[in-house]
């Protein structure tokens, strides 16, 4: 793995929708296949992060909880994959 694959976002103490907005900002600047870990304490992130990943074409690889924090490991998807799917309708 390269350094770009090991990005960690500290979203502890941030409330919805700020953790997901930080995740989106970081993922936007990365190539497809990059992995990012978001650490969040807001319980709504359990709804927001999976929804964001589904809508934006990213893959939620794992979710782990420990000591009141939840770690979301996300792999950046292809920026154009979900747009191509939307155009079929």
């Amino acid at each position: 793995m390269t350094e770009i694959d090991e990005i960690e976002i500290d979203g502890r103490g941030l409330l919805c929708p700020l953790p997901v907005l930080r995740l989106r900002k970081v993922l936007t600047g990365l190539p497809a296949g990059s992995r990012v870990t978001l650490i969040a304490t807001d319980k709504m992130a359990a709804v927001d992060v999976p929804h964001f990943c589904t809508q934006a074409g990213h893959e939620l690889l794992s979710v782990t909880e420990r000591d009141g924090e939840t770690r979301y490991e996300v792999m950046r998807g292809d920026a154009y994959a979900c747009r191509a799917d939307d155009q079929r309708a």
Side-chain angles (χ1 to χ4, degrees):
M1 278 191 176
T2 64
E3 285 184 35
I4 201 164
D5 294 326
E6 300 172 5
I7 295 173
E8 189 172 275
I9 302 167
D10 185 357
R12 291 175 280 210
L14 299 177
L15 299 178
C16 172
L18 293 176
V20 169
L21 292 176
R22 288 204 177 167
L23 177 62
R24 181 178 70 180
K25 183 177 181 179
V26 170
L27 287 171
T28 299
L30 297 175
S34 296
R35 294 178 185 225
V36 175
T37 300
L38 169 67
I39 304 170
T41 51
D42 182 12
K43 297 298 181 193
M44 284 305 297
V47 174
D48 295 343
V49 173
H51 179 74
F52 163 72
C53 290
T54 299
Q55 293 300 308
H58 306 305
E59 184 176 349
L60 182 58
L61 299 172
S62 68
V63 178
T64 55
E65 294 183 39
R66 189 173 63 156
D67 299 329
E69 298 177 351
T70 306
R71 298 175 67 88
Y72 302 90
E73 185 181 359
V74 177
M75 184 170 65
R76 189 193 192 302
D78 182 357
Y80 301 101
C82 67
R83 290 188 186 131
D85 290 343
D86 290 345
Q87 291 177 0
R88 282 190 255 156

